[in-house]
Amino acid sequence: MARKLTGSAELLERAQRVVPGGIYGHMAPGFLVPGEYPSFIARGEGASIWDVDGNRYIDYMCSYGPIVLGHRHPVVEAAVESQRANAFCFSLPGPAYVDLAELLVEKTPFANWAMFAKNGSDATTWATAIARAHTGRKKILRANGAYHGVAFWCNPAQAGITDEDTANVVSFEYNDLESLTGAVSKHADELAGIIVTPYRHEAFHDQELPVPEFHSTIRNLCDDHGIVYILDDVRCGFRLDLAGSGHYYGTEPDLSCYCKALGNGYPISALMGREALRGAAQQVFMTGSYWMSSLELAAAVATVNELERIDGCRRMREYGIRLRTGLARQAAEHGLEVRLTGEPGLPFMTFADDSVFERAKLWCAECIRRGVFFHPSHNWFLTTAHGDAELEATLEATEAAFEAVAQKFRA
Ligand SMILES: Cc1ncc(COP(=O)(O)O)c(C=O)c1O
């Protein structure tokens, strides 16, 4: 039976009258497959979401990362409810603030302190300010195309951004050691920090794991030149390793930025650092109306403890490997060339000869019609709630999706 998306269409029309663009940012309908995807979600449970028309989908975007234990996870909800019963937004922090800082410091081998904010952009921007305060230098080195948020120093678009906003940001090519060392030698005395993601995972691009010497070279360059090494672990944090993705890849940074999976959907980000940066962290003035709200802090304590209890990172990795194996086999059976890239816990698939994501969009459209929510041009996310039933239903949908792509595009 054909899916109805009329509720979504009506809401979008109403939104377009009162919100610029209707839905803005990365959730704008144009980033998916217009007409095929719903625009509004009404509820979630475990690994599933339901749109406002009542259609159910297995969720492979997980709110672009925040949902890591599954929607409405009972342990997280219980922690939140218990805090809510006492109110949570005060003029001073509550005990959960210290509990979370202690928990994260205990889990993160390199870090001696933690501070909290709301979004990934808060944490990455804060990290650059601390690097500048610590070194007395201005410039930040980043990889071309890497996404670090929407602050003006790193916003991927140009509207509303001035040259001055980015005047102290210089770049190199991810995984290109010559480009990295060249940029450092060119700017060494002016560089406050180097910020990188654990691996290359920006949208519209195959994911790339770090080449073996990538992180250790950054570490050595930072040590040699007194530069602060900032790891932007906003997307991968708590999905690869609870000790941090720096630890996972064998090289520890000086500052680490977390967000997304930290609170299983409750808005929280964290910045963690080494002892040597404590003074600079204290000097930089950063705060926000909701940054110390105990609700999200309690959610994060529960999320991290639960991920540890159930060995969540291993579970997501294993599911991701099974998903990837199934997709690779189906693609081959249909004579289609695909690339499955990145870490299995954050899977992604692109088609060969598909620079404008035409095949990927058709494949995603066929999947969403069958109740599986993927993204054509952004990496996907898993939760620990994805299990055998989800995998089986997913592979049934993807089989039909590959068949549709093969029929349209096979030579
Ligand atoms: C690696 C990385 N850094 C920073 C951000 C920005 O986080 P936020 O959207 O919470 O500001 C994101 C968001 O996708 C991200 O993936």
Side-chain angles (χ1 to χ4, degrees), residues 331-374:
E333 282 166 5
H334 287 95
L336 293 163
E337 194 185 326
V338 295
R339 291 185 293 263
L340 288 139
T341 57
E343 289 288 351
L346 299 91
F348 188 42
M349 186 185 78
T350 55
F351 287 84
D353 304 319
D354 196 30
S355 57
V356 291
F357 296 91
E358 211 182 349
R359 288 165 169 79
K361 284 184 176 172
L362 173 59
W363 186 83
C364 282
E366 294 291 334
C367 288
I368 197 84
R369 287 177 196 161
R370 292 169 174 79
V372 184
F373 196 121
F374 286 114

Side-chain angles (χ1 to χ4, degrees), residues 141 172 180 184 191-196 218 221-222 227-230:
L141 179 62
F172 73 102
L180 169 68
V184 171
L191 277 180
I194 302 179
I195 184 167
V196 290
I218 298 178
L221 288 167
C222 285
I227 302 165
V228 176
Y229 180 1
I230 306 166

Side-chain angles (χ1 to χ4, degrees), residues 58 60 319 322-323 329-330 370 372 386-399:
I58 300 172
Y60 283 98
Y319 185 97
R322 290 166 70 203
L323 174 67
R329 179 182 43 77
Q330 290 176 338
R370 292 169 174 79
V372 184
H386 286 75
D388 292 348
E390 282 77 12
L391 189 66
E392 196 183 319
T394 300
L395 291 176
E396 206 175 298
T398 55
E399 169 66 26

Side-chain angles (χ1 to χ4, degrees), residues 26-40:
H26 64 298
M27 292 182 189
F31 282 99
L32 290 161
V33 188
E36 296 288 351
Y37 278 70
S39 296
F40 291 86

Side-chain angles (χ1 to χ4, degrees), residues 127-212:
T128 62
I130 291 173
R132 285 170 172 153
H134 178 73
T135 57
R137 302 174 185 163
K138 287 185 182 171
K139 289 201 190 309
I140 300 294
L141 179 62
R142 56 169 294 184
N144 267 323
Y147 186 65
H148 297 297
V150 291
F152 295 160
W153 68 271
C154 60
N155 194 298
Q158 279 168 358
I161 313 292
T162 66
D163 291 345
E164 288 79 3
D165 290 320
T166 53
N168 288 307
V169 180
V170 289
S171 56
F172 73 102
E173 298 303 322
Y174 198 99
N175 264 345
D176 180 337
L177 300 184
E178 216 173 291
S179 158
L180 169 68
T181 46
V184 171
S185 54
K186 185 165 172 205
H187 301 287
D189 296 343
E190 305 164 288
L191 277 180
I194 302 179
I195 184 167
V196 290
T197 55
Y199 66 94
R200 185 171 185 182
H201 53 43
E202 70 248 28
F204 302 104
H205 203 283
D206 284 333
Q207 302 192 86
E208 268 177 43
L209 298 184
V211 294

